[in-house]
Amino acid sequence: MGDVEKGDSHENTVNDYGDALTPVSPSDESRPFLNEDLEDAIKLVNSHREESSNIPTRKHGVTPLPKAQLATLCAVRLVDPIMFTQIFPYVNEMMDHLHLTEDRSKTGLYSGLVESSFAVAQLFSIYQWARLSDKIGRKPVVLAGISGIALGTVIMGFSQSLFMVLFARSLAGFFSGNVAVVHSVIAEITDHTNQHTAFPIYGLCWPLGAIIGPLLGGTFSNPADKYPTLFDYPIFRTYPYLLPSLVAASIAISGVIFGIFFFKETLPAKQRRRNDSISSPSSPTFDNIPEKSPQSYGVKDLLAIPVIRALCISGMALSGINTAFDVIFVLYCYSPILTGGLAFTAAEIGLALATSGAISAGLQLFFMPYLLRRFDHAKMYNTCMGIWPYTYALLPGLNVIARWGAVVGKVPLPIAGDGVEGLNVGGVSAIVGVTPGTKALLWVGIGVLLCMARVACLGFSVSMILVKDSAPHAAVLGKTNGLAQFAMCFARAFAPACASTLFAFSVSLPFWPLRYLWVFVMVGIAILGTTPSKKIAAGMKHAHAQRQ
């Protein structure tokens, strides 16, 4: 089982960062067994753990979770996905509003640039934020990051050019590089006895934010047109995407205020100094964790560890494939039915993304704890990666359903092309919608495909545990998480632009079967992505064999 392997991850170090980071001497381990007294042996082991880790434990051996700290961490973590996803429902409309191109099929090129700018900026900052947090502490880095994301989101709401949109998203992405720091915090307040409960709760924050974010974007974009009695003011007509940005930023500011008062520092060195003067029985302490690692671990040192190297490569594949799916799914829904899409409105896209978040939340809450307790973590991760090829292969079926139930009608020529999909060059005959039965069938298909995608995304939560268990030392946990997140951000930085370009090129081809070229390419990439994930289990076995 994965838990057995993880329990002795590195020599002289137990990687739970809460059980013990100092080895049990051979004499302590063998003394009770020489007396053949099992009861005394259990008491001795439990006594040693309590003395060395100073973490309160229950009688059945499960470390109590610091509920207040976990709740605070989840509230802070919730901000990032809301800021990131609230732009998705209206990003294509926003590009049209900026009048960047008259060809709607090329809108995806610009929206891909906007989405990529966030991840590119995050790419250059994520490892540096992680290193900084290992020096000055987790709390200041996390709170500074949330504040910066809020600022970038507000600037984007006032943007009237592609340059300002890219600048605002880049600024938000730069400050969101603290994601690796937040991952380190959840690792530092848990151990192997309670991580199967804490990590699913923590993992629930992203899908929950992925529900709230798109709903905010889809509901509050263009408020002057949607809600004229409430928001028919010049500022909202001039800046039609300001209101969702302001609402999202207010949530971020609330997270900052909440974090200032309730977020506790978890960096081992800071925690040790705090515990010298104040002892808190309600949360784990780190009295026996040394302030510095026995050796100075750099990027080369971390990548020299086979399992960490495999996690970084596979994490990059997982992030790239998932990000490409999110981008292509939005473009697929937005594109005309005749070019291989679904012709959904921004509100419908927002509802679909919210459905995706709801599915992910349900999986994290109701299934993930059982899966983490029951199955080997490395094998779980490999299974998640294996779902992606099937997800991409089934996606074009939605367009087949839409074509089957399309309703053709006559529309006035001046509005043809303004959200209405023409059947000929003149645009007089057009697909004006689909039948109610077809619409219902489309939503069923969307639910199935999004469920498959969200099951595959459970690999992100499993990856956090694998990275935690593979870190060579508590003092370099931030760097290890930073390196793994850097690999993921590297893929996320370029996947939107590449995926949107591939999709735009495919749907512009004159021969309709070639319009599904993006499907064959993404299925092939997803199959290749399963290769590095298979090396994780082998890497963990290799590390385990070296410790024997």
Side-chain angles (χ1 to χ4, degrees):
M1 296 298 294
D3 289 339
V4 175
E5 292 180 2
K6 297 193 297 289
D8 46 358
S9 297
H10 292 279
E11 186 177 356
N12 296 331
T13 303
V14 173
N15 285 325
D16 291 320
Y17 309 126
D19 272 350
L21 288 168
T22 55
V24 181
S25 64
S27 60
D28 287 340
E29 288 184 349
S30 60
R31 185 182 304 122
F33 291 97
L34 293 176
N35 296 331
E36 299 181 351
D37 189 341
L38 181 60
E39 183 177 355
D40 290 343
I42 296 174
K43 291 180 179 179
L44 178 58
V45 172
N46 289 337
S47 174
H48 175 79
R49 287 184 176 180
E50 290 178 1
E51 292 175 359
S52 61
S53 65
N54 195 28
I55 297 178
T57 58
R58 296 192 180 105
K59 292 182 180 180
H60 51 71
V62 178
T63 304
L65 279 173
K67 296 181 178 62
Q69 179 76 332
L70 180 61
T72 304
L73 181 63
C74 289
V76 171
R77 173 61 175 151
L78 188 64
V79 172
D80 190 32
I82 293 176
M83 301 297 106
F84 181 70
T85 61
Q86 62 92 17
I87 191 179
F88 289 170
Y90 62 80
V91 62
N92 294 298
E93 284 188 359
M94 190 177 195
M95 297 302 101
D96 288 340
H97 176 75
L98 297 177
H99 304 293
L100 300 175
T101 178
E102 296 298 328
D103 188 354
R104 290 185 62 192
S105 65
K106 296 181 180 179
T107 301
L109 297 176
Y110 296 101
S111 61
L113 288 175
V114 172
E115 292 165 352
S116 292
S117 62
F118 186 97
V120 169
Q122 189 182 54
L123 173 66
F124 289 104
S125 66
I126 191 165
Y127 186 72
Q128 303 306 323
W129 284 118
R131 287 184 60 190
L132 183 63
S133 74
D134 280 341
K135 295 179 181 179
I136 69 173
R138 315 297 191 202
K139 182 174 181 176
V141 172
V142 170
L143 296 183
I146 299 175
S147 302
I149 294 174
L151 176 62
T153 303
V154 172
I155 294 176
M156 189 190 66
F158 283 102
S159 298
Q160 289 287 284
S161 66
L162 179 62
F163 172 79
M164 285 304 300
V165 173
L166 292 174
F167 171 78
R169 287 294 281 178
S170 298
L171 181 65
F174 174 82
F175 282 100
S176 72
N178 65 357
V179 60
V181 182
V182 183
H183 288 354
S184 298
V185 175
I186 188 65
E188 287 165 341
I189 66 173
T190 59
D191 57 39
H192 77 280
T193 66
N194 57 24
Q195 65 184 13
H196 64 270
T197 300
F199 275 83
I201 294 175
Y202 174 76
L204 188 65
C205 296
W206 183 271
L208 184 59
I211 296 174
I212 299 173
L215 285 177
L216 290 180
T219 302
F220 294 109
S221 60
N222 295 297
D225 294 330
K226 292 180 180 178
Y227 318 106
T229 57
L230 296 176
F231 300 104
D232 191 10
Y233 297 101
I235 187 172
F236 292 122
R237 291 201 173 276
T238 305
Y239 307 103
Y241 308 105
L242 174 61
L243 185 58
S245 299
L246 291 177
V247 174
S250 66
I251 296 176
I253 297 301
S254 299
V256 173
I257 297 174
F258 193 74
I260 290 174
F261 292 102
F262 300 104
F263 191 94
K264 295 181 180 179
E265 182 60 64
T266 62
L267 181 67
K270 298 281 186 180
Q271 185 80 0
R272 180 179 179 180
R273 285 193 287 269
R274 185 173 69 88
N275 289 336
D276 288 340
S277 57
I278 300 176
S279 178
S280 176
S282 61
S283 60
T285 58
F286 300 84
D287 290 336
N288 288 307
I289 299 178
E291 292 190 27
K292 295 183 179 180
S293 174
Q295 69 179 90
S296 179
Y297 284 91
V299 174
K300 292 184 179 179
D301 299 311
L302 293 173
L303 290 178
I305 302 174
V307 66
I308 293 181
R309 184 169 61 249
L311 281 167
C312 290
I313 297 174
S314 182
M316 182 167 59
L318 172 61
S319 180
I321 294 170
N322 174 66
T323 303
F325 178 85
D326 291 340
V327 171
I328 287 177
F329 180 77
V330 172
L331 289 172
Y332 182 73
C333 291
Y334 182 75
S335 298
I337 292 177
L338 288 180
T339 58
L342 301 179
F344 272 20
T345 64
E348 289 175 320
I349 294 174
L351 179 59
L353 295 177
T355 300
S356 176
I359 293 172
S360 186
L363 291 172
Q364 288 281 354
L365 189 60
F366 298 109
F367 293 95
M368 197 61 170
Y370 169 78
L371 295 175
L372 290 176
R373 288 194 302 265
R374 180 67 179 83
F375 297 102
D376 177 83
H377 296 166
K379 292 180 179 179
M380 276 183 61
Y381 183 83
N382 195 40
T383 301
C384 292
M385 290 296 298
I387 296 175
W388 282 115
Y390 300 99
T391 305
Y392 275 106
L394 294 175
L395 190 57
L398 297 176
N399 178 252
V400 175
I401 296 174
R403 285 172 176 268
W404 173 70
V407 176
V408 180
K410 296 289 186 177
V411 296
L413 184 60
I415 66 170
D418 185 16
V420 181
E421 319 313 327
L423 286 174
N424 54 40
V425 178
V428 176
S429 297
I431 293 178
V432 295
V434 295
T435 63
T438 301
K439 179 69 75 171
L441 192 58
L442 277 175
W443 280 108
V444 171
I446 288 174
V448 171
L449 285 173
L450 291 180
C451 186
M452 292 177 62
R454 293 316 104 187
V455 170
C457 284
L458 293 179
F460 285 106
S461 295
V462 181
S463 176
M464 285 192 294
I465 296 178
L466 293 174
V467 170
K468 169 193 173 183
D469 294 329
S470 302
H473 196 275
V476 292
L477 177 60
K479 289 182 180 179
T480 306
N481 269 308
L483 186 61
Q485 290 300 313
F486 176 87
M488 291 185 177
C489 286
F490 183 82
R492 191 159 55 241
F494 302 102
C498 294
S500 59
T501 301
L502 173 64
F503 185 87
F505 172 75
S506 299
V507 300
S508 65
L509 295 175
F511 188 44
W512 75 264
L514 292 179
R515 293 175 181 173
Y516 296 103
L517 175 64
W518 62 269
V519 180
F520 296 101
V521 174
M522 292 310 305
V523 168
I525 293 175
I527 292 174
L528 291 176
T530 62
T531 302
S533 67
K534 298 176 182 178
K535 298 181 180 180
I536 295 175
M540 297 189 70
K541 290 180 180 179
H542 176 71
H544 178 72
Q546 285 185 327
R547 294 192 296 270
Q548 300 302 315

